[in-house]
Amino acid sequence: MIINSLAGIKHGNSSNFFLMAGPCAIEGEEIALRIADRIVHITDKLNIPYIFKGSYRKANRSRVDSFTGIGDEKALKILQEVKNTFGVPTVTDIHESHEAEMAAHYVDVLQIPAFLCRQTELLVAAGKTGKVVNIKKGQFLSAESMQFAVDKVIETGNDKVILTDRGNTFGYQDLIVDFRGIPVMKSFDVPVVMDCTHSLQQPNQSTGVTGGKPALIETIAKAAIAVGADGLFIETHPDPANAKSDGANMLHLDLLEELLVKLTRIREALL
């Protein structure tokens, strides 16, 4: 299946993987444009189809005082500006069904957070917009069970679906990645993405701030490409330690190009 509305984002016959990357949350116009400019430069050089990622609002936070956003409309307009400035598609999360139509005016891909991947009303609302729908696999679900999430979107008449793995809950404060899930989900005839940063989260820490293991991003990404992932999802920031959301598991922007060079070589070896 080819997602026709996103040039270069293909399943099965693409010569390279595609990349969803950007900051966890939209923190402001200047930093969003700076991150996008850097990633566009890198992906153009390496011939990697690129989708800019940024959450316009963070609804799932551990603590009530955690950063949630700069304002919905303001953040969505920044995502639109990234698209218009660099000519790349954009993706953002939605959390409730009424957000789908609003966000669809500004972005190309609507992302369903992992915790919400069973929410029928949300999946149907996203599907009805006609936009590409990226569904993150719940940490609590098997790869096989994601067929039902795909079906909910397809039954709206929208077959533009991506599935993204982000690891499985392991105990209370860790995640593990079962790479068997990638070929399983590819069998549903949709592109499958590996989220290389959220799969390294360490949730539910005693401080109320999620931890992470960013040193293993390269390991997860290499393995995902090796087993046939169509795309990668990587949150990246020029200063992760001071990012307003999920800094503990983000890749430093300065490390992105070297990583992508290695991954394109693995991809080439598999063709």
Side-chain angles (χ1 to χ4, degrees):
M1 177 183 296
I2 296 175
I3 297 180
N4 296 311
S5 62
L6 292 179
I9 310 302
K10 301 179 181 180
H11 172 57
N13 58 353
S14 176
S15 62
N16 210 345
F17 59 88
F18 64 91
L19 178 69
M20 295 184 185
C24 177
I26 297 298
E27 301 175 2
E29 178 182 6
E30 187 276 332
I31 193 165
L33 292 172
R34 177 154 56 101
I35 293 170
D37 182 63
R38 183 83 173 274
I39 302 176
V40 167
H41 176 77
I42 295 168
T43 53
D44 281 354
K45 183 163 62 173
L46 298 176
N47 195 30
I48 297 172
Y50 173 51
I51 304 170
F52 177 85
K53 183 270 168 184
S55 296
Y56 76 90
R57 174 157 44 89
K58 301 300 296 183
N60 176 26
R61 302 284 82 194
S62 296
R63 291 172 24 171
V64 71
D65 60 348
S66 297
F67 173 82
T68 58
I70 60 174
D72 292 357
E73 187 175 12
K74 183 177 181 180
L76 286 166
K77 286 183 176 179
I78 290 172
L79 284 161
Q80 187 175 56
E81 185 176 358
V82 168
K83 174 182 178 178
N84 294 339
T85 300
F86 299 104
V88 296
T90 56
V91 55
T92 199
D93 314 73
I94 59 172
H95 314 93
E96 298 184 57
S97 55
H98 68 83
E99 298 175 31
E101 187 174 354
M102 172 186 69
H105 286 298
Y106 297 93
V107 301
D108 304 278
V109 183
L110 299 177
Q111 182 166 285
I112 308 300
F115 281 125
L116 301 176
C117 68
R118 284 172 51 91
Q119 297 297 101
T120 301
E121 187 175 318
L122 180 61
L123 290 164
V124 169
K128 285 181 176 179
T129 67
K131 297 288 185 174
V132 177
V133 182
N134 178 35
I135 311 171
K136 286 199 167 184
K137 185 186 80 64
Q139 304 93 317
F140 44 86
L141 291 177
S142 68
E144 290 82 358
S145 64
M146 291 305 292
Q147 175 70 71
F148 304 110
V150 173
D151 291 345
K152 289 175 182 179
V153 176
I154 289 177
E155 287 177 13
T156 69
N158 181 353
D159 65 355
K160 300 189 288 291
V161 183
I162 298 171
L163 288 178
T164 295
D165 196 347
R166 54 138 312 149
N168 304 292
T169 299
F170 186 69
Y172 290 110
Q173 295 178 316
D174 209 355
L175 298 167
I176 57 171
V177 177
D178 181 356
F179 287 97
R180 296 175 300 176
I182 291 178
V184 168
M185 292 191 290
K186 282 170 67 76
S187 72
F188 306 153
D189 198 28
V190 298
V192 174
V193 173
M194 184 72 234
D195 183 338
C196 304
T197 45
H198 287 99
S199 60
L200 292 167
Q201 281 185 332
Q202 293 179 302
N204 305 321
Q205 299 298 304
S206 59
T207 60
V209 178
T210 297
K213 297 181 179 179
L216 293 174
I217 291 172
E218 182 172 325
T219 300
I220 297 294
K222 285 178 174 178
I225 294 299
V227 299
D230 299 292
L232 297 176
F233 180 107
I234 298 175
E235 289 189 339
T236 183
H237 195 283
D239 185 11
N242 290 303
K244 295 184 181 296
S245 178
D246 280 0
N249 52 269
M250 277 201 277
L251 180 72
H252 197 293
L253 189 56
D254 289 344
L255 301 177
L256 182 63
E257 182 169 1
E258 180 182 1
L259 173 60
L260 292 178
V261 168
K262 293 177 182 178
L263 297 175
T264 55
R265 289 172 181 166
I266 294 173
R267 178 75 171 192
E268 289 167 2
L270 296 172
L271 296 178

